[in-house]
Amino acid sequence: MTASLMDGKALAERVRAEVKDEVAALGTPVGLATVLVGDNPASHVYVRSKRNACAEAGIESLHHELPEDASEDALLALVEELNADQRVTGILVQLPLPEQIDEARVIRSIAPVKDVDGFHPVNAGFLLQGTPTLLPATPAGIMEILAAHDVSLKGARAVVVGRSNIVGKPISLLLLAEHATVTMCHSRTVDLPSVTRQADVLVAAVGKADAVTAGMIRPGATVVDVGINRVGEKLVGDVSPDAAEVAGKLTPVPGGVGPMTIAALLRNTVKAARYQAGVLAFPGA
Ligand code: NDP
């Protein structure tokens, strides 16, 4: 193996300790409401980890569960209550939602100032305009990993594979804000390997094991593997194991982007609490 591994787990521990100090220093209560709808086993695991991380950081966790067949109106009514509740400084509705519920509508119903996932169009718009507020956690975590490992972005060629609203698009904007020259790829990209091989920094957010193989990587490039794919009993990323022979720096799966996503969510939760305590001004509020 030639690549050095970018350890997201160790970094996340440092960030979580920092957040704990910030929560204590804030002096006003920080409360994250988590909303889980239905029986998706992965969602249950994710929400449990987020709640545990909150508890460790001194953030009150206020948890709500609705059944798999819950109506959209029931969920919207709950979000409305949470928007109005002073104890709740952040709201996280775990995705995906059951098919009878319009996800985009639910995201729009969350007060932007409490939107710790950063998915509300208001927060997405601020990011687009270069005045970031609450950032989506996975891309924010990736940027911290790159900074902690001295990955230089100014003028670098960055290629992002995947264009979702939660990973691909926001990470592209964050890389652009750091002056990388960014190319976004997706399922219709023609000759993907010829594009990815130009990358100094390659982000794989595809959701398919082995979507990025060694032959698609420029020797020495920094590779960020966002994917979480279940293959038999194992969890693997989007980047195949042979990539470690070619890449210069690489995030492992597990232990790379995943832990930093939770750490970045905690950062957002404190930031949202600051907005509500009036310590920080939410643009336009
Ligand atoms: P989506 O399914 O929403 O998006 C996947 C993207 O990959 C789409 O833009 C799609 O293109 C593109 N794509 C699919 N197949 C190909 C292909 N063969 N070649 C090029 N592009 C392709 O996924 P998410 O962005 O939500 O998540 C991506 C991965 O990251 C998943 O494995 C997910 O589990 C993981 N993830 C991990 C997190 C973490 O904390 N570590 C957090 C969030 C996600 P098109 O738009 O054309 O369909």
Side-chain angles (χ1 to χ4, degrees):
M1 182 166 100
T2 58
S4 69
L5 292 180
M6 296 187 283
D7 185 347
K9 201 163 168 240
L11 179 60
E13 272 165 29
R14 292 205 293 279
V15 171
R16 285 162 64 159
E18 254 176 68
V19 168
K20 187 174 182 170
D21 291 344
E22 286 172 16
V23 170
L26 190 61
T28 58
V30 183
L32 177 66
T34 46
V35 181
L36 188 51
V37 186
D39 313 317
N40 183 319
S43 293
H44 278 261
V45 173
Y46 291 145
V47 169
R48 198 177 315 126
S49 323
K50 291 169 186 175
R51 294 185 64 203
N52 289 342
C54 279
E56 255 180 51
I59 295 170
E60 191 185 356
S61 164
L62 306 126
H63 183 60
H64 297 263
E65 283 191 25
L66 294 178
E68 181 74 32
D69 62 357
S71 68
E72 186 175 298
D73 283 347
L75 179 54
L76 291 172
L78 173 58
V79 171
E80 210 41 60
E81 260 176 51
L82 299 173
N83 282 340
D85 188 338
Q86 301 268 334
R87 283 182 316 154
V88 173
T89 51
I91 301 172
L92 182 149
V93 178
Q94 182 66 41
L95 304 180
L97 293 169
E99 60 183 18
Q100 73 276 13
I101 299 178
D102 178 351
E103 253 174 37
R105 188 159 181 226
V106 172
I107 291 169
R108 286 196 303 271
S109 74
I110 297 171
V113 76
K114 295 189 177 185
D115 169 39
V116 291
D117 260 337
F119 296 159
H120 192 288
V122 164
N123 289 314
F126 280 127
L127 171 60
L128 183 73
Q129 295 191 335
T131 47
T133 45
L134 296 165
L135 292 174
T138 301
I142 294 171
M143 294 307 283
E144 285 213 41
I145 292 176
L146 295 175
H149 293 86
D150 298 319
V151 176
S152 119
L153 294 173
K154 199 171 178 178
R157 283 166 300 181
V159 174
V160 177
V161 190
R163 56 172 164 182
S164 70
N165 286 336
I166 66 169
V167 189
K169 282 180 199 160
I171 189 63
S172 299
L173 290 168
L174 290 171
L175 291 165
L176 183 66
E178 291 302 323
H179 313 292
T181 300
V182 183
T183 305
M184 296 173 71
C185 301
H186 44 77
S187 65
R188 318 296 156 85
T189 297
V190 175
D191 193 4
L192 182 65
S194 74
V195 184
T196 57
R197 274 197 298 266
Q198 292 176 24
D200 300 310
V201 178
L202 176 60
V203 179
V206 182
K208 287 183 184 145
D210 297 330
V212 171
T213 55
M216 297 166 73
I217 299 169
R218 199 178 60 73
T222 296
V223 179
V224 176
D225 188 352
V226 185
I228 302 178
N229 307 296
R230 187 168 287 283
V231 175
E233 291 293 289
K234 275 183 70 181
L235 281 187
V236 301
D238 289 345
V239 177
S240 67
D242 59 3
E245 307 299 332
V246 186
K249 293 176 181 170
L250 176 65
T251 56
V253 175
V257 174
M260 275 308 291
T261 294
I262 295 194
L265 169 72
L266 296 184
R267 278 217 197 282
N268 269 351
T269 306
V270 179
K271 193 171 186 189
R274 284 210 180 96
Y275 284 137
Q276 281 146 89
V279 182
L280 199 64
F282 190 79

